[in-house]
Amino acid sequence: MGYVTVQLVQPYRDRPNEGTLAIFTEFSPMADPSFEPGRPGELAIELGRVIDRGLRESRAVDMESLCVVAGKHVWSVRVDLHILDNGGNLIDAANIAALAALSTFRRPECTVGGDDGQQVTVHDPEVRDPLPLTIHHMPIAVTFAYFGEGNIVVLDPTYKEEAVMGGRMTAIVNSNGDVCAIQKAGGEGVMSSVIMQCLRIASVKAADITSKIKKAVDSYTTEKALKKVKRLPTSVPQKINVTNVTMDGKGDGELEKQSVQMHSDVQQISKDPPTMVKASSREDAQPMTESSNAEVNTSSAVAAGESESHEIGSPKSLKDAIKPKHKRKKKKSDRS
């Protein structure tokens, strides 16, 4: 498993216009019981150096495109490789993982501004689309295992074949047939004719593996582009279609008549003497803010109720309502 991260750092003094690329490997005991946590072993150091030599020294990634401000800010690319399962030939598998991770990686876009022209602004992916890395070619690692004093050559050795092999050679070649790096490990000597034969086989395998990586990367980018949600920028005004609202209103004369009638009703209500009105629980639950028409209707209804009560009899106070009850009780007690 490989993943890529970047950060802005200061460049090296001898290369102020170039970014940096670093390879880090992690061998977990989950992948192989022989791997121990902590400090990396010889195999982990060898794997990281071989892949770093094939990518960085062959100039596969354009380092000058990683420069933001010369001598001050450049992008530092870090590739982390985690071994999940040791099935043999870890160098080739880790190399393919690193190439695939670099091909699908997108770094954030940044702009330079400010008063002195040295201020760097890194934009979020939602504001500006991230940019891919510039990869000139893909150096593919192809490993050969030697048996029987170099007379038997096995391509892509397995875990069991690596346990009994006499020697090993890793050739890093691109699809054009250019040899980027060669790593020879083991005590078995190999003839030059066998090495040339291995390089010819490696160039054919490199072209095949390169086409497979590009096909997988294209399908991944296409699928990711379909899942991307398009967002409208906030600065662009959005046009909202509002339907025309037509009021089936009455004429100006009728509206004036209604307003005069409402005004006269309010004056009539204000002239009536105030009385105590017992409100129900539903009336208490109603909100206090109502329309003017509702207030006029309720007040007029109250006024009509008051006029009816005046016609029936004079209004009674609370003291008058209680007196007859006491008188009746006293009369009953006297009779008893």
Side-chain angles (χ1 to χ4, degrees), residues 3-324:
Y3 63 91
V4 182
T5 55
V6 293
Q7 62 177 352
L8 288 173
V9 297
Q10 291 184 354
Y12 296 114
R13 294 182 179 179
D14 55 344
R15 295 181 179 180
N17 298 328
E18 295 182 3
T20 60
L21 175 64
I23 308 293
F24 293 89
T25 59
E26 181 179 351
F27 283 54
S28 174
M30 179 183 67
D32 194 333
S34 61
F35 298 157
E36 296 181 359
R39 298 182 61 183
E42 295 181 0
L43 182 60
I45 295 174
E46 181 185 6
L47 186 143
R49 288 181 179 178
V50 171
I51 296 176
D52 181 76
R53 190 183 308 161
L55 290 173
R56 186 165 53 84
E57 294 186 3
S58 65
R59 313 290 292 182
V61 181
D62 189 3
M63 296 298 176
E64 294 183 357
S65 64
L66 301 177
C67 178
V68 179
V69 179
K72 289 189 176 182
H73 300 288
V74 295
W75 288 109
S76 175
V77 181
R78 170 171 175 162
V79 182
D80 289 272
L81 300 173
H82 295 266
I83 307 301
L84 302 179
D85 187 13
N86 183 15
N89 195 11
L90 293 178
I91 295 177
D92 294 6
N95 181 74
I96 293 173
L99 290 174
L102 290 171
S103 300
T104 57
F105 176 73
R106 300 291 183 269
R107 66 172 178 85
E109 186 178 358
C110 57
T111 56
V112 181
D115 298 335
D116 55 351
Q118 303 293 323
Q119 185 177 359
V120 180
T121 304
V122 180
H123 301 281
D124 293 335
E126 297 181 355
V127 178
R128 293 191 179 183
D129 293 335
L131 302 177
L133 299 178
T134 304
I135 301 176
H136 298 300
H137 61 91
M138 288 190 177
I140 305 297
V142 182
T143 301
F144 299 90
Y146 299 104
F147 299 91
E149 298 181 357
N151 297 325
I152 302 174
V153 181
V154 176
L155 177 65
D156 190 12
T158 62
Y159 180 77
K160 295 182 180 180
E161 290 173 348
E162 286 183 345
V164 296
M165 67 183 180
R168 181 184 63 199
M169 186 186 76
T170 301
I172 302 177
V173 187
N174 58 16
S175 59
N176 299 326
D178 300 330
V179 179
C180 301
I182 293 179
Q183 172 73 13
K184 173 68 174 64
E188 293 287 344
V190 183
M191 297 178 61
S192 59
S193 59
V194 177
I195 293 177
M196 295 303 297
Q197 182 183 3
C198 292
L199 291 177
R200 287 191 294 269
I201 296 173
S203 62
V204 176
K205 296 297 295 182
D208 184 21
I209 296 173
T210 301
S211 62
K212 291 181 179 180
I213 293 176
K214 289 183 178 180
K215 185 178 179 180
V217 170
D218 293 340
S219 63
Y220 172 79
T221 53
T222 303
E223 183 180 359
K224 189 175 181 180
L226 293 175
K227 293 181 180 180
K228 184 178 180 181
V229 179
K230 294 184 179 180
R231 297 179 176 87
L232 292 174
T234 56
S235 60
V236 178
Q238 299 181 7
K239 185 178 180 181
I240 302 174
N241 295 326
V242 181
T243 57
N244 296 326
V245 180
T246 58
M247 297 178 61
D248 296 335
K250 301 177 182 179
D252 297 337
E254 295 182 0
L255 294 175
E256 292 178 359
K257 291 179 181 179
Q258 290 182 357
S259 61
V260 171
Q261 185 177 0
M262 291 171 60
H263 185 66
S264 62
D265 293 339
V266 172
Q267 289 180 354
Q268 183 179 358
I269 293 168
S270 60
K271 290 179 181 180
D272 295 334
T275 58
M276 296 177 63
V277 180
K278 184 178 181 181
S280 61
S281 60
R282 293 184 180 178
E283 292 176 352
D284 295 338
Q286 291 180 355
M288 298 299 294
T289 58
E290 296 180 353
S291 60
S292 60
N293 293 332
E295 291 178 355
V296 173
N297 292 334
T298 54
S299 59
S300 61
V302 172
E306 291 174 358
S307 61
E308 291 178 2
S309 62
H310 283 297
E311 291 176 2
I312 294 171
S314 60
K316 296 181 179 181
S317 63
L318 183 61
K319 188 175 181 181
D320 297 333
I322 295 173
K323 279 182 179 180

